[in-house]
Amino acid sequence: AQSVTQPDIHITVSEGASLELRCNYSYGATPYLFWYVQSPGQGLQLLLKYFSGDTLVQGIKGFEAEFKRSQSSFNLRKPSVHWSDAAEYFCAVGASGGFKTIFGAGTRLFVKA
Amino acid sequence: DSGVTQTPKHLITATGQRVTLRCSPRSGDLSVYWYQQSLDQGLQFLIQYYNGEERAKGNILERFSAQQFPDLHSELNLSSLELGDSALYFCASSALDSNSPLHFGNGTRLTVT
C-alpha cells in the first residue's frame, strides 16, 4: 500500500536561511509525487509535482524538490526562506491509474526574524 | 483562487444532527474528492467521485455519505453527528484521477457542540 512519511512535525528556520523539508514515500511502482502548502484558514495549494523525467522539479514561490528513487524520498527545498513561507507543508503521493492521493501528516514551518 | 467553492464556510450544530456540505469543482474538472482534516488525524481521504460515479472510498464513516450531481457539484452529508466529527472538511477537484494535481477549496469548518 502506498504511504507517505514526513518525519518532522515542525521546523523553525530564520528568515533568509535555507530550508529542506523531508518526505519519504512507499509505493511499488513509479509514484506521482506532490508538495502542497496550507496557509492558516486556507485550503491546500499545489507547490510542485513530479511525474517523470528530470528528478529536480521547480515549483512556485521559489521552491524545488528532488526525487531520489534509491532513497524513496522527495524532499522540498528553498534556498532563502521568507516570513510569508510560514505555513504547513504536505507531501503527497498518487498512484498511477489510482483514484486517491495519500497525504503525509504535514510539517509546520515557523520562520523567525 | 483555486476555482473550487465550498459552502458554508462555518457550521455549528449539535450532536445528533445532520448537515450537508456543498462543493462546486473547478470548471472542467470531473473528479471531486472529500477530505477531513483534524488535529489528531491529519488530512484523511474520505471519498472520491468521478463524473457522477463513486470511484474510491477512504476512511468514511457509515454515518457519512456523498454524491456528485449531473452538474458535477458534490454534497457531503454527515448525520448523527458526534463531537469527534468536529473538523475541517475540504473538497478538492481534479481533471482526471490521482495523476492530476488536486485543487482545494477553502474548507468548511464544522463544530459539533
Side-chain angles (χ1 to χ4, degrees), chain A residues 32 34 36 38 42-44 46 49 51 90 95-101 103, chain B residues 33 35 37 43 45 48 55-57 90 97-102 104-106:
Chain A
Y32 294 77
F34 310 87
Y36 290 83
Q38 183 181 25
Q42 302 290 317
L44 282 70
L46 179 71
K49 60 184 184 289
F51 288 170
F90 292 90
S96 172
F99 299 104
K100 57 181 182 178
T101 300
F103 286 82
Chain B
Y33 305 74
Y35 286 84
Q37 186 179 40
L43 197 61
F45 167 73
Q48 183 214 356
R55 268 300 172 78
K57 252 184 177 177
F90 285 107
D97 57 24
S98 62
N99 299 351
S100 306
L102 301 179
F104 281 81
N106 285 335

PDB file of all heavy atoms in Angstrom, chain A residues 32 34 36 38 42-44 46 49 51 90 95-101 103, chain B residues 33 35 37 43 45 48 55-57 90 97-102 104-106:
ATOM      1  N   TYR A  32       3.492   9.236  -8.399  1.00  0.00           N
ATOM      2  CA  TYR A  32       3.261  10.627  -8.745  1.00  0.00           C
ATOM      3  C   TYR A  32       3.349  11.394  -7.430  1.00  0.00           C
ATOM      4  O   TYR A  32       2.609  11.112  -6.497  1.00  0.00           O
ATOM      5  CB  TYR A  32       1.886  10.796  -9.387  1.00  0.00           C
ATOM      6  CG  TYR A  32       1.781  10.114 -10.728  1.00  0.00           C
ATOM      7  CD1 TYR A  32       1.623   8.733 -10.807  1.00  0.00           C
ATOM      8  CD2 TYR A  32       1.858  10.843 -11.908  1.00  0.00           C
ATOM      9  CE1 TYR A  32       1.555   8.093 -12.033  1.00  0.00           C
ATOM     10  CE2 TYR A  32       1.778  10.211 -13.145  1.00  0.00           C
ATOM     11  CZ  TYR A  32       1.629   8.832 -13.200  1.00  0.00           C
ATOM     12  OH  TYR A  32       1.561   8.209 -14.414  1.00  0.00           O
ATOM     13  N   PHE A  34       3.737  14.967  -5.023  1.00  0.00           N
ATOM     14  CA  PHE A  34       3.299  16.355  -4.946  1.00  0.00           C
ATOM     15  C   PHE A  34       3.746  16.965  -3.622  1.00  0.00           C
ATOM     16  O   PHE A  34       3.884  16.285  -2.610  1.00  0.00           O
ATOM     17  CB  PHE A  34       1.764  16.452  -5.015  1.00  0.00           C
ATOM     18  CG  PHE A  34       1.122  15.697  -6.139  1.00  0.00           C
ATOM     19  CD1 PHE A  34       0.777  14.359  -5.993  1.00  0.00           C
ATOM     20  CD2 PHE A  34       0.842  16.324  -7.340  1.00  0.00           C
ATOM     21  CE1 PHE A  34       0.172  13.659  -7.022  1.00  0.00           C
ATOM     22  CE2 PHE A  34       0.229  15.640  -8.375  1.00  0.00           C
ATOM     23  CZ  PHE A  34      -0.109  14.309  -8.221  1.00  0.00           C
ATOM     24  N   TYR A  36       2.242  20.233  -1.323  1.00  0.00           N
ATOM     25  CA  TYR A  36       1.206  21.248  -1.177  1.00  0.00           C
ATOM     26  C   TYR A  36       1.540  22.115   0.037  1.00  0.00           C
ATOM     27  O   TYR A  36       2.187  21.659   0.983  1.00  0.00           O
ATOM     28  CB  TYR A  36      -0.163  20.613  -0.938  1.00  0.00           C
ATOM     29  CG  TYR A  36      -0.756  19.890  -2.124  1.00  0.00           C
ATOM     30  CD1 TYR A  36      -0.396  18.570  -2.420  1.00  0.00           C
ATOM     31  CD2 TYR A  36      -1.689  20.513  -2.949  1.00  0.00           C
ATOM     32  CE1 TYR A  36      -0.950  17.898  -3.493  1.00  0.00           C
ATOM     33  CE2 TYR A  36      -2.247  19.846  -4.023  1.00  0.00           C
ATOM     34  CZ  TYR A  36      -1.874  18.548  -4.292  1.00  0.00           C
ATOM     35  OH  TYR A  36      -2.430  17.889  -5.365  1.00  0.00           O
ATOM     36  N   GLN A  38      -0.316  24.787   2.936  1.00  0.00           N
ATOM     37  CA  GLN A  38      -1.567  25.253   3.506  1.00  0.00           C
ATOM     38  C   GLN A  38      -1.303  26.411   4.466  1.00  0.00           C
ATOM     39  O   GLN A  38      -0.656  26.237   5.497  1.00  0.00           O
ATOM     40  CB  GLN A  38      -2.282  24.131   4.267  1.00  0.00           C
ATOM     41  CG  GLN A  38      -3.641  24.537   4.819  1.00  0.00           C
ATOM     42  CD  GLN A  38      -4.322  23.423   5.593  1.00  0.00           C
ATOM     43  OE1 GLN A  38      -3.678  22.520   6.122  1.00  0.00           O
ATOM     44  NE2 GLN A  38      -5.645  23.459   5.656  1.00  0.00           N
ATOM     45  N   GLN A  42      -6.824  28.468   5.064  1.00  0.00           N
ATOM     46  CA  GLN A  42      -6.910  28.264   3.618  1.00  0.00           C
ATOM     47  C   GLN A  42      -6.889  26.780   3.278  1.00  0.00           C
ATOM     48  O   GLN A  42      -6.526  25.937   4.096  1.00  0.00           O
ATOM     49  CB  GLN A  42      -5.720  28.934   2.922  1.00  0.00           C
ATOM     50  CG  GLN A  42      -5.595  30.420   3.183  1.00  0.00           C
ATOM     51  CD  GLN A  42      -6.685  31.213   2.518  1.00  0.00           C
ATOM     52  OE1 GLN A  42      -7.047  30.974   1.375  1.00  0.00           O
ATOM     53  NE2 GLN A  42      -7.240  32.170   3.239  1.00  0.00           N
ATOM     54  N   GLY A  43      -7.272  26.496   2.053  1.00  0.00           N
ATOM     55  CA  GLY A  43      -7.110  25.156   1.555  1.00  0.00           C
ATOM     56  C   GLY A  43      -5.673  24.903   1.131  1.00  0.00           C
ATOM     57  O   GLY A  43      -4.816  25.779   1.237  1.00  0.00           O
ATOM     58  N   LEU A  44      -5.409  23.713   0.657  1.00  0.00           N
ATOM     59  CA  LEU A  44      -4.066  23.373   0.211  1.00  0.00           C
ATOM     60  C   LEU A  44      -3.839  23.884  -1.201  1.00  0.00           C
ATOM     61  O   LEU A  44      -4.726  23.814  -2.049  1.00  0.00           O
ATOM     62  CB  LEU A  44      -3.856  21.852   0.241  1.00  0.00           C
ATOM     63  CG  LEU A  44      -3.580  21.222   1.594  1.00  0.00           C
ATOM     64  CD1 LEU A  44      -4.797  21.248   2.500  1.00  0.00           C
ATOM     65  CD2 LEU A  44      -3.081  19.790   1.417  1.00  0.00           C
ATOM     66  N   LEU A  46      -1.117  23.653  -4.520  1.00  0.00           N
ATOM     67  CA  LEU A  46      -0.039  22.879  -5.102  1.00  0.00           C
ATOM     68  C   LEU A  46       1.209  23.734  -5.271  1.00  0.00           C
ATOM     69  O   LEU A  46       1.165  24.810  -5.854  1.00  0.00           O
ATOM     70  CB  LEU A  46      -0.474  22.337  -6.459  1.00  0.00           C
ATOM     71  CG  LEU A  46       0.566  21.509  -7.209  1.00  0.00           C
ATOM     72  CD1 LEU A  46       0.768  20.162  -6.525  1.00  0.00           C
ATOM     73  CD2 LEU A  46       0.152  21.308  -8.662  1.00  0.00           C
ATOM     74  N   LYS A  49       5.015  19.296  -8.613  1.00  0.00           N
ATOM     75  CA  LYS A  49       4.663  17.897  -8.812  1.00  0.00           C
ATOM     76  C   LYS A  49       5.766  17.212  -9.598  1.00  0.00           C
ATOM     77  O   LYS A  49       6.491  17.839 -10.367  1.00  0.00           O
ATOM     78  CB  LYS A  49       3.341  17.777  -9.570  1.00  0.00           C
ATOM     79  CG  LYS A  49       3.335  18.408 -10.953  1.00  0.00           C
ATOM     80  CD  LYS A  49       1.963  18.322 -11.572  1.00  0.00           C
ATOM     81  CE  LYS A  49       1.957  18.858 -12.997  1.00  0.00           C
ATOM     82  NZ  LYS A  49       2.118  20.315 -13.046  1.00  0.00           N
ATOM     83  N   PHE A  51       6.191  13.743 -12.024  1.00  0.00           N
ATOM     84  CA  PHE A  51       5.593  12.575 -12.670  1.00  0.00           C
ATOM     85  C   PHE A  51       6.665  11.681 -13.259  1.00  0.00           C
ATOM     86  O   PHE A  51       6.637  10.472 -13.093  1.00  0.00           O
ATOM     87  CB  PHE A  51       4.611  13.006 -13.772  1.00  0.00           C
ATOM     88  CG  PHE A  51       3.332  13.599 -13.260  1.00  0.00           C
ATOM     89  CD1 PHE A  51       2.437  14.219 -14.131  1.00  0.00           C
ATOM     90  CD2 PHE A  51       2.994  13.572 -11.920  1.00  0.00           C
ATOM     91  CE1 PHE A  51       1.259  14.776 -13.663  1.00  0.00           C
ATOM     92  CE2 PHE A  51       1.816  14.124 -11.436  1.00  0.00           C
ATOM     93  CZ  PHE A  51       0.938  14.725 -12.329  1.00  0.00           C
ATOM     94  N   PHE A  90       2.588  19.807   3.010  1.00  0.00           N
ATOM     95  CA  PHE A  90       2.172  18.405   2.893  1.00  0.00           C
ATOM     96  C   PHE A  90       2.810  17.786   1.655  1.00  0.00           C
ATOM     97  O   PHE A  90       2.724  18.333   0.554  1.00  0.00           O
ATOM     98  CB  PHE A  90       0.652  18.300   2.755  1.00  0.00           C
ATOM     99  CG  PHE A  90      -0.103  18.695   3.985  1.00  0.00           C
ATOM    100  CD1 PHE A  90      -0.499  20.010   4.169  1.00  0.00           C
ATOM    101  CD2 PHE A  90      -0.419  17.761   4.959  1.00  0.00           C
ATOM    102  CE1 PHE A  90      -1.202  20.396   5.309  1.00  0.00           C
ATOM    103  CE2 PHE A  90      -1.133  18.133   6.087  1.00  0.00           C
ATOM    104  CZ  PHE A  90      -1.518  19.439   6.264  1.00  0.00           C
ATOM    105  N   ALA A  95      -1.221   7.268  -7.022  1.00  0.00           N
ATOM    106  CA  ALA A  95      -0.862   6.039  -7.722  1.00  0.00           C
ATOM    107  C   ALA A  95      -1.251   6.152  -9.179  1.00  0.00           C
ATOM    108  O   ALA A  95      -2.327   6.644  -9.502  1.00  0.00           O
ATOM    109  CB  ALA A  95      -1.567   4.854  -7.080  1.00  0.00           C
ATOM    110  N   SER A  96      -0.395   5.663 -10.025  1.00  0.00           N
ATOM    111  CA  SER A  96      -0.712   5.652 -11.445  1.00  0.00           C
ATOM    112  C   SER A  96      -1.956   4.823 -11.678  1.00  0.00           C
ATOM    113  O   SER A  96      -2.025   3.668 -11.292  1.00  0.00           O
ATOM    114  CB  SER A  96       0.464   5.050 -12.223  1.00  0.00           C
ATOM    115  OG  SER A  96       0.110   4.868 -13.571  1.00  0.00           O
ATOM    116  N   GLY A  97      -2.950   5.435 -12.286  1.00  0.00           N
ATOM    117  CA  GLY A  97      -4.191   4.726 -12.526  1.00  0.00           C
ATOM    118  C   GLY A  97      -5.058   4.597 -11.305  1.00  0.00           C
ATOM    119  O   GLY A  97      -6.147   4.043 -11.359  1.00  0.00           O
ATOM    120  N   GLY A  98      -4.594   5.092 -10.206  1.00  0.00           N
ATOM    121  CA  GLY A  98      -5.382   5.021  -8.969  1.00  0.00           C
ATOM    122  C   GLY A  98      -6.267   6.225  -8.821  1.00  0.00           C
ATOM    123  O   GLY A  98      -6.251   7.137  -9.625  1.00  0.00           O
ATOM    124  N   PHE A  99      -7.022   6.242  -7.768  1.00  0.00           N
ATOM    125  CA  PHE A  99      -8.027   7.278  -7.638  1.00  0.00           C
ATOM    126  C   PHE A  99      -7.960   8.061  -6.347  1.00  0.00           C
ATOM    127  O   PHE A  99      -8.838   8.841  -6.069  1.00  0.00           O
ATOM    128  CB  PHE A  99      -9.416   6.663  -7.817  1.00  0.00           C
ATOM    129  CG  PHE A  99      -9.583   6.045  -9.169  1.00  0.00           C
ATOM    130  CD1 PHE A  99      -9.537   4.677  -9.321  1.00  0.00           C
ATOM    131  CD2 PHE A  99      -9.747   6.840 -10.280  1.00  0.00           C
ATOM    132  CE1 PHE A  99      -9.665   4.111 -10.563  1.00  0.00           C
ATOM    133  CE2 PHE A  99      -9.884   6.280 -11.539  1.00  0.00           C
ATOM    134  CZ  PHE A  99      -9.839   4.909 -11.676  1.00  0.00           C
ATOM    135  N   LYS A 100      -6.958   7.844  -5.537  1.00  0.00           N
ATOM    136  CA  LYS A 100      -6.878   8.666  -4.351  1.00  0.00           C
ATOM    137  C   LYS A 100      -5.443   9.079  -4.099  1.00  0.00           C
ATOM    138  O   LYS A 100      -4.513   8.333  -4.323  1.00  0.00           O
ATOM    139  CB  LYS A 100      -7.443   7.945  -3.137  1.00  0.00           C
ATOM    140  CG  LYS A 100      -6.803   6.619  -2.805  1.00  0.00           C
ATOM    141  CD  LYS A 100      -7.466   6.011  -1.593  1.00  0.00           C
ATOM    142  CE  LYS A 100      -6.802   4.692  -1.225  1.00  0.00           C
ATOM    143  NZ  LYS A 100      -7.403   4.089  -0.022  1.00  0.00           N
ATOM    144  N   THR A 101      -5.294  10.299  -3.644  1.00  0.00           N
ATOM    145  CA  THR A 101      -3.990  10.829  -3.287  1.00  0.00           C
ATOM    146  C   THR A 101      -3.824  10.707  -1.784  1.00  0.00           C
ATOM    147  O   THR A 101      -4.709  11.090  -1.022  1.00  0.00           O
ATOM    148  CB  THR A 101      -3.883  12.309  -3.712  1.00  0.00           C
ATOM    149  OG1 THR A 101      -4.061  12.385  -5.133  1.00  0.00           O
ATOM    150  CG2 THR A 101      -2.534  12.873  -3.341  1.00  0.00           C
ATOM    151  N   PHE A 103      -1.845  11.719   1.641  1.00  0.00           N
ATOM    152  CA  PHE A 103      -1.064  12.829   2.164  1.00  0.00           C
ATOM    153  C   PHE A 103      -0.259  12.398   3.387  1.00  0.00           C
ATOM    154  O   PHE A 103      -0.702  11.562   4.182  1.00  0.00           O
ATOM    155  CB  PHE A 103      -1.985  13.984   2.567  1.00  0.00           C
ATOM    156  CG  PHE A 103      -2.547  14.735   1.398  1.00  0.00           C
ATOM    157  CD1 PHE A 103      -3.652  14.262   0.709  1.00  0.00           C
ATOM    158  CD2 PHE A 103      -1.959  15.915   0.962  1.00  0.00           C
ATOM    159  CE1 PHE A 103      -4.177  14.951  -0.380  1.00  0.00           C
ATOM    160  CE2 PHE A 103      -2.458  16.603  -0.124  1.00  0.00           C
ATOM    161  CZ  PHE A 103      -3.570  16.120  -0.803  1.00  0.00           C
TER     162      PHE A 103
ATOM    163  N   TYR B  33     -13.107  15.206  -4.681  1.00  0.00           N
ATOM    164  CA  TYR B  33     -12.619  14.454  -3.526  1.00  0.00           C
ATOM    165  C   TYR B  33     -13.076  15.174  -2.256  1.00  0.00           C
ATOM    166  O   TYR B  33     -13.123  16.400  -2.199  1.00  0.00           O
ATOM    167  CB  TYR B  33     -11.088  14.432  -3.512  1.00  0.00           C
ATOM    168  CG  TYR B  33     -10.419  13.903  -4.760  1.00  0.00           C
ATOM    169  CD1 TYR B  33     -10.379  14.657  -5.927  1.00  0.00           C
ATOM    170  CD2 TYR B  33      -9.793  12.661  -4.769  1.00  0.00           C
ATOM    171  CE1 TYR B  33      -9.761  14.190  -7.065  1.00  0.00           C
ATOM    172  CE2 TYR B  33      -9.151  12.189  -5.900  1.00  0.00           C
ATOM    173  CZ  TYR B  33      -9.140  12.950  -7.044  1.00  0.00           C
ATOM    174  OH  TYR B  33      -8.504  12.479  -8.169  1.00  0.00           O
ATOM    175  N   TYR B  35     -12.050  15.425   1.846  1.00  0.00           N
ATOM    176  CA  TYR B  35     -11.065  15.137   2.875  1.00  0.00           C
ATOM    177  C   TYR B  35     -11.531  15.737   4.205  1.00  0.00           C
ATOM    178  O   TYR B  35     -12.179  16.777   4.247  1.00  0.00           O
ATOM    179  CB  TYR B  35      -9.700  15.753   2.542  1.00  0.00           C
ATOM    180  CG  TYR B  35      -8.937  15.044   1.453  1.00  0.00           C
ATOM    181  CD1 TYR B  35      -9.181  15.323   0.116  1.00  0.00           C
ATOM    182  CD2 TYR B  35      -7.962  14.105   1.759  1.00  0.00           C
ATOM    183  CE1 TYR B  35      -8.477  14.666  -0.884  1.00  0.00           C
ATOM    184  CE2 TYR B  35      -7.252  13.444   0.766  1.00  0.00           C
ATOM    185  CZ  TYR B  35      -7.516  13.737  -0.546  1.00  0.00           C
ATOM    186  OH  TYR B  35      -6.814  13.092  -1.539  1.00  0.00           O
ATOM    187  N   GLN B  37      -9.960  17.081   7.838  1.00  0.00           N
ATOM    188  CA  GLN B  37      -8.714  17.455   8.496  1.00  0.00           C
ATOM    189  C   GLN B  37      -8.989  17.770   9.959  1.00  0.00           C
ATOM    190  O   GLN B  37      -9.755  18.681  10.273  1.00  0.00           O
ATOM    191  CB  GLN B  37      -8.059  18.667   7.814  1.00  0.00           C
ATOM    192  CG  GLN B  37      -6.682  18.995   8.378  1.00  0.00           C
ATOM    193  CD  GLN B  37      -6.035  20.177   7.682  1.00  0.00           C
ATOM    194  OE1 GLN B  37      -6.677  21.170   7.350  1.00  0.00           O
ATOM    195  NE2 GLN B  37      -4.736  20.085   7.424  1.00  0.00           N
ATOM    196  N   LEU B  43      -4.885  14.897   7.606  1.00  0.00           N
ATOM    197  CA  LEU B  43      -5.726  15.005   6.411  1.00  0.00           C
ATOM    198  C   LEU B  43      -6.103  13.599   5.962  1.00  0.00           C
ATOM    199  O   LEU B  43      -5.274  12.834   5.492  1.00  0.00           O
ATOM    200  CB  LEU B  43      -4.954  15.738   5.321  1.00  0.00           C
ATOM    201  CG  LEU B  43      -5.743  16.305   4.152  1.00  0.00           C
ATOM    202  CD1 LEU B  43      -6.754  17.343   4.630  1.00  0.00           C
ATOM    203  CD2 LEU B  43      -4.802  16.943   3.140  1.00  0.00           C
ATOM    204  N   PHE B  45      -8.458  11.086   3.635  1.00  0.00           N
ATOM    205  CA  PHE B  45      -9.280  10.957   2.436  1.00  0.00           C
ATOM    206  C   PHE B  45     -10.582  10.270   2.793  1.00  0.00           C
ATOM    207  O   PHE B  45     -10.603   9.222   3.447  1.00  0.00           O
ATOM    208  CB  PHE B  45      -8.508  10.151   1.391  1.00  0.00           C
ATOM    209  CG  PHE B  45      -9.333   9.690   0.232  1.00  0.00           C
ATOM    210  CD1 PHE B  45      -9.744  10.593  -0.736  1.00  0.00           C
ATOM    211  CD2 PHE B  45      -9.687   8.359   0.092  1.00  0.00           C
ATOM    212  CE1 PHE B  45     -10.494  10.169  -1.819  1.00  0.00           C
ATOM    213  CE2 PHE B  45     -10.431   7.930  -0.979  1.00  0.00           C
ATOM    214  CZ  PHE B  45     -10.850   8.836  -1.944  1.00  0.00           C
ATOM    215  N   GLN B  48     -14.129   9.751  -3.209  1.00  0.00           N
ATOM    216  CA  GLN B  48     -13.929  10.419  -4.490  1.00  0.00           C
ATOM    217  C   GLN B  48     -15.030  10.051  -5.462  1.00  0.00           C
ATOM    218  O   GLN B  48     -15.451   8.891  -5.523  1.00  0.00           O
ATOM    219  CB  GLN B  48     -12.587  10.042  -5.112  1.00  0.00           C
ATOM    220  CG  GLN B  48     -12.305  10.786  -6.415  1.00  0.00           C
ATOM    221  CD  GLN B  48     -11.543   9.989  -7.443  1.00  0.00           C
ATOM    222  OE1 GLN B  48     -11.135   8.870  -7.186  1.00  0.00           O
ATOM    223  NE2 GLN B  48     -11.327  10.560  -8.617  1.00  0.00           N
ATOM    224  N   ARG B  55     -15.745   6.570  -7.052  1.00  0.00           N
ATOM    225  CA  ARG B  55     -14.561   5.920  -7.588  1.00  0.00           C
ATOM    226  C   ARG B  55     -13.672   5.306  -6.527  1.00  0.00           C
ATOM    227  O   ARG B  55     -13.005   4.317  -6.761  1.00  0.00           O
ATOM    228  CB  ARG B  55     -13.744   6.921  -8.389  1.00  0.00           C
ATOM    229  CG  ARG B  55     -14.074   6.957  -9.875  1.00  0.00           C
ATOM    230  CD  ARG B  55     -13.840   5.632 -10.502  1.00  0.00           C
ATOM    231  NE  ARG B  55     -14.263   5.466 -11.856  1.00  0.00           N
ATOM    232  CZ  ARG B  55     -13.635   5.897 -12.928  1.00  0.00           C
ATOM    233  NH1 ARG B  55     -12.559   6.631 -12.787  1.00  0.00           N
ATOM    234  NH2 ARG B  55     -14.081   5.648 -14.128  1.00  0.00           N
ATOM    235  N   ALA B  56     -13.622   5.946  -5.375  1.00  0.00           N
ATOM    236  CA  ALA B  56     -12.763   5.419  -4.321  1.00  0.00           C
ATOM    237  C   ALA B  56     -13.314   5.836  -2.974  1.00  0.00           C
ATOM    238  O   ALA B  56     -13.914   6.901  -2.832  1.00  0.00           O
ATOM    239  CB  ALA B  56     -11.333   5.922  -4.478  1.00  0.00           C
ATOM    240  N   LYS B  57     -13.125   4.959  -2.014  1.00  0.00           N
ATOM    241  CA  LYS B  57     -13.567   5.243  -0.656  1.00  0.00           C
ATOM    242  C   LYS B  57     -12.394   5.149   0.286  1.00  0.00           C
ATOM    243  O   LYS B  57     -11.574   4.232   0.191  1.00  0.00           O
ATOM    244  CB  LYS B  57     -14.633   4.232  -0.230  1.00  0.00           C
ATOM    245  CG  LYS B  57     -16.028   4.771  -0.150  1.00  0.00           C
ATOM    246  CD  LYS B  57     -16.998   3.718   0.361  1.00  0.00           C
ATOM    247  CE  LYS B  57     -18.370   4.328   0.499  1.00  0.00           C
ATOM    248  NZ  LYS B  57     -19.375   3.359   0.931  1.00  0.00           N
ATOM    249  N   PHE B  90     -12.594  19.422   3.597  1.00  0.00           N
ATOM    250  CA  PHE B  90     -12.141  20.012   2.341  1.00  0.00           C
ATOM    251  C   PHE B  90     -12.699  19.235   1.161  1.00  0.00           C
ATOM    252  O   PHE B  90     -12.766  18.007   1.171  1.00  0.00           O
ATOM    253  CB  PHE B  90     -10.611  19.989   2.244  1.00  0.00           C
ATOM    254  CG  PHE B  90      -9.933  21.012   3.090  1.00  0.00           C
ATOM    255  CD1 PHE B  90      -9.260  20.648   4.237  1.00  0.00           C
ATOM    256  CD2 PHE B  90      -9.942  22.350   2.723  1.00  0.00           C
ATOM    257  CE1 PHE B  90      -8.626  21.590   5.029  1.00  0.00           C
ATOM    258  CE2 PHE B  90      -9.302  23.311   3.501  1.00  0.00           C
ATOM    259  CZ  PHE B  90      -8.651  22.923   4.652  1.00  0.00           C
ATOM    260  N   ASP B  97      -7.772  11.455 -12.580  1.00  0.00           N
ATOM    261  CA  ASP B  97      -7.636  10.695 -11.339  1.00  0.00           C
ATOM    262  C   ASP B  97      -6.449  11.231 -10.551  1.00  0.00           C
ATOM    263  O   ASP B  97      -6.094  12.390 -10.689  1.00  0.00           O
ATOM    264  CB  ASP B  97      -7.492   9.204 -11.642  1.00  0.00           C
ATOM    265  CG  ASP B  97      -6.301   8.940 -12.557  1.00  0.00           C
ATOM    266  OD1 ASP B  97      -5.347   9.756 -12.595  1.00  0.00           O
ATOM    267  OD2 ASP B  97      -6.327   7.928 -13.255  1.00  0.00           O
ATOM    268  N   SER B  98      -5.847  10.412  -9.724  1.00  0.00           N
ATOM    269  CA  SER B  98      -4.850  10.949  -8.802  1.00  0.00           C
ATOM    270  C   SER B  98      -3.534  11.292  -9.499  1.00  0.00           C
ATOM    271  O   SER B  98      -2.602  11.742  -8.868  1.00  0.00           O
ATOM    272  CB  SER B  98      -4.594   9.969  -7.664  1.00  0.00           C
ATOM    273  OG  SER B  98      -4.074   8.759  -8.172  1.00  0.00           O
ATOM    274  N   ASN B  99      -3.455  11.093 -10.812  1.00  0.00           N
ATOM    275  CA  ASN B  99      -2.292  11.580 -11.530  1.00  0.00           C
ATOM    276  C   ASN B  99      -2.316  13.097 -11.641  1.00  0.00           C
ATOM    277  O   ASN B  99      -1.292  13.722 -11.866  1.00  0.00           O
ATOM    278  CB  ASN B  99      -2.276  11.010 -12.949  1.00  0.00           C
ATOM    279  CG  ASN B  99      -2.208   9.505 -12.938  1.00  0.00           C
ATOM    280  OD1 ASN B  99      -2.021   8.899 -11.911  1.00  0.00           O
ATOM    281  ND2 ASN B  99      -2.385   8.916 -14.093  1.00  0.00           N
ATOM    282  N   SER B 100      -3.495  13.643 -11.530  1.00  0.00           N
ATOM    283  CA  SER B 100      -3.660  15.083 -11.705  1.00  0.00           C
ATOM    284  C   SER B 100      -3.590  15.778 -10.359  1.00  0.00           C
ATOM    285  O   SER B 100      -4.101  15.270  -9.369  1.00  0.00           O
ATOM    286  CB  SER B 100      -5.012  15.379 -12.352  1.00  0.00           C
ATOM    287  OG  SER B 100      -5.179  14.662 -13.541  1.00  0.00           O
ATOM    288  N   PRO B 101      -2.967  16.951 -10.321  1.00  0.00           N
ATOM    289  CA  PRO B 101      -2.925  17.696  -9.062  1.00  0.00           C
ATOM    290  C   PRO B 101      -4.336  18.033  -8.573  1.00  0.00           C
ATOM    291  O   PRO B 101      -5.258  18.183  -9.369  1.00  0.00           O
ATOM    292  CB  PRO B 101      -2.165  18.968  -9.441  1.00  0.00           C
ATOM    293  CG  PRO B 101      -1.413  18.615 -10.661  1.00  0.00           C
ATOM    294  CD  PRO B 101      -2.247  17.623 -11.397  1.00  0.00           C
ATOM    295  N   LEU B 102      -4.477  18.146  -7.292  1.00  0.00           N
ATOM    296  CA  LEU B 102      -5.755  18.492  -6.693  1.00  0.00           C
ATOM    297  C   LEU B 102      -5.837  19.996  -6.467  1.00  0.00           C
ATOM    298  O   LEU B 102      -4.863  20.638  -6.112  1.00  0.00           O
ATOM    299  CB  LEU B 102      -5.917  17.782  -5.349  1.00  0.00           C
ATOM    300  CG  LEU B 102      -5.863  16.259  -5.378  1.00  0.00           C
ATOM    301  CD1 LEU B 102      -6.008  15.695  -3.974  1.00  0.00           C
ATOM    302  CD2 LEU B 102      -6.945  15.718  -6.285  1.00  0.00           C
ATOM    303  N   PHE B 104      -7.869  22.584  -4.175  1.00  0.00           N
ATOM    304  CA  PHE B 104      -8.653  22.555  -2.950  1.00  0.00           C
ATOM    305  C   PHE B 104      -9.504  23.804  -2.770  1.00  0.00           C
ATOM    306  O   PHE B 104      -9.078  24.915  -3.091  1.00  0.00           O
ATOM    307  CB  PHE B 104      -7.724  22.438  -1.737  1.00  0.00           C
ATOM    308  CG  PHE B 104      -7.222  21.057  -1.490  1.00  0.00           C
ATOM    309  CD1 PHE B 104      -6.151  20.557  -2.207  1.00  0.00           C
ATOM    310  CD2 PHE B 104      -7.806  20.251  -0.527  1.00  0.00           C
ATOM    311  CE1 PHE B 104      -5.672  19.272  -1.989  1.00  0.00           C
ATOM    312  CE2 PHE B 104      -7.341  18.966  -0.295  1.00  0.00           C
ATOM    313  CZ  PHE B 104      -6.274  18.476  -1.025  1.00  0.00           C
ATOM    314  N   GLY B 105     -10.686  23.588  -2.190  1.00  0.00           N
ATOM    315  CA  GLY B 105     -11.461  24.704  -1.697  1.00  0.00           C
ATOM    316  C   GLY B 105     -10.912  25.148  -0.354  1.00  0.00           C
ATOM    317  O   GLY B 105      -9.958  24.550   0.177  1.00  0.00           O
ATOM    318  N   ASN B 106     -11.518  26.178   0.206  1.00  0.00           N
ATOM    319  CA  ASN B 106     -11.048  26.707   1.480  1.00  0.00           C
ATOM    320  C   ASN B 106     -11.633  25.977   2.686  1.00  0.00           C
ATOM    321  O   ASN B 106     -11.308  26.314   3.827  1.00  0.00           O
ATOM    322  CB  ASN B 106     -11.353  28.201   1.585  1.00  0.00           C
ATOM    323  CG  ASN B 106     -10.399  29.011   0.716  1.00  0.00           C
ATOM    324  OD1 ASN B 106      -9.296  28.576   0.417  1.00  0.00           O
ATOM    325  ND2 ASN B 106     -10.843  30.175   0.290  1.00  0.00           N
TER     326      ASN B 106
END
